[in-house]
Amino acid sequence: MTPMEIALQEARAAAARGEVPVGAVVTDAAGQVLARAGNAVEALRDASAHAEMLALRAAAAAVGEKVLPGATLWVTLEPCAMCAQAIAHFRVKRLVFGAYDPKGGAVDHGPRLFHQATCHHAPEVVGGVRENEAAALLRGFFAGLR
Amino acid sequence: MTPMEIALQEARAAAARGEVPVGAVVTDAAGQVLARAGNAVEALRDASAHAEMLALRAAAAAVGEKVLPGATLWVTLEPCAMCAQAIAHFRVKRLVFGAYDPKGGAVDHGPRLFHQATCHHAPEVVGGVRENEAAALLRGFFAGLR
């Protein structure tokens, strides 16, 4: 499985738990998976428990370092400002995301954090990878809530 | 002690541990302290372990809720984009901060997150509270590193 397929699997598992379906994976410079996580805001009763935050912290714990300079973060949805800034703090080398998020995204939308003059670290960014599947998961989840 | 005095105490304790001296406190609607934390990036080997993130998560755990709608976050330094967006996600009512941070702050500087059109929750903001003490702590810490 590719890292984005694992991230999609995490997103589906999150949906099955009643979470907004977003999944994330961190791989090291060699492409090995360091951590994987799904959104867990409901399970952890923690509004900051986005898939990216959980995966980044788990990856840092896995390697025993406070930053992840060679890592790639794969996530099914464009990160919000919290997660995008965390990506900068962890000095992640590359961000690959699935669906674009015009409402909550902060990479290609809203504050476009990595383009701010005060941004101290900007990863390479690839958006739209497996976009349709990631977006369909989210649409299905929110349709089910109505 | 006022909440900001407790936050300053957390910042001093962080400095003594070799952390960038930033401290945070969360109080509930009645003014009771729910959580307090100092920056712990080095201790936890976690680039996201800012005082605000730790205090917000601890406060949510203390009340058993995923959001903190009546709460005030007191922090000695203007929050970065990660922490500012977390404040929005936790639906914190009020943010009181000490020193301004033109380089890394995201409230009155840089992306000015709470003024973005995509911002879904903006707290009341009071900046510059005990600013001199908070800034002196940071200056002292970084002078010691040189």
Side-chain angles (χ1 to χ4, degrees):
Chain A
M1 258 195 308
T2 65
M4 192 57 95
E5 279 164 354
I6 301 173
L8 284 162
Q9 199 176 63
E10 288 288 341
R12 276 179 222 112
R17 295 190 307 265
E19 305 276 357
V20 175
V22 180
V25 168
V26 178
T27 53
D28 66 13
Q32 293 298 309
V33 173
L34 293 175
R36 51 190 289 173
N39 180 23
V41 166
E42 305 298 332
L44 299 177
R45 303 190 76 66
D46 171 358
S48 73
H50 287 194
E52 300 96 309
M53 299 298 289
L54 300 176
L56 287 167
R57 275 158 48 202
V63 298
E65 301 287 346
K66 66 181 175 180
V67 290
L68 298 160
T72 297
L73 176 71
W74 309 76
V75 56
T76 58
L77 182 66
E78 180 185 348
C80 74
M82 174 181 72
C83 296
Q85 186 61 47
I87 288 164
H89 287 322
F90 278 103
R91 296 185 213 154
V92 167
K93 185 180 183 189
R94 195 162 62 121
L95 163 66
V96 183
F97 69 84
Y100 291 86
D101 186 359
K103 282 172 75 175
V107 175
D108 280 339
H109 296 94
R112 302 182 80 241
L113 275 195
F114 302 133
H115 293 87
Q116 292 283 334
T118 51
C119 178
H120 56 85
H121 173 88
E124 301 165 32
V125 177
V126 182
V129 174
R130 306 285 292 260
E131 178 181 1
N132 291 345
E133 288 148 276
L137 268 173
L138 286 156
R139 270 196 310 273
F141 178 81
F142 287 110
L145 290 183
R146 279 194 291 267
Chain B
M1 257 194 310
T2 65
M4 193 56 95
E5 279 164 354
I6 299 172
L8 284 162
Q9 199 175 63
E10 287 289 342
R12 275 179 223 113
R17 294 191 305 267
E19 305 276 357
V20 175
V22 180
V25 168
V26 177
T27 53
D28 66 13
Q32 294 297 309
V33 173
L34 293 174
R36 52 189 286 173
N39 179 22
V41 166
E42 305 299 332
L44 299 177
R45 301 190 75 67
D46 171 359
S48 72
H50 286 194
E52 300 96 310
M53 299 298 288
L54 300 176
L56 288 167
R57 276 158 48 200
V63 299
E65 301 286 347
K66 66 180 174 179
V67 289
L68 299 161
T72 297
L73 175 70
W74 310 76
V75 55
T76 57
L77 182 66
E78 180 185 348
C80 73
M82 174 182 72
C83 296
Q85 186 61 47
I87 288 164
H89 287 323
F90 277 104
R91 296 186 211 153
V92 167
K93 186 179 182 189
R94 195 162 61 120
L95 163 66
V96 183
F97 69 83
Y100 290 86
D101 185 0
K103 282 171 75 175
V107 175
D108 280 340
H109 296 93
R112 301 181 81 240
L113 276 195
F114 303 134
H115 293 86
Q116 292 283 335
T118 50
C119 178
H120 57 84
H121 173 87
E124 302 165 30
V125 177
V126 182
V129 174
R130 307 284 292 259
E131 178 182 0
N132 292 346
E133 286 149 277
L137 268 173
L138 287 155
R139 269 198 310 275
F141 179 80
F142 286 109
L145 289 184
R146 279 195 290 268

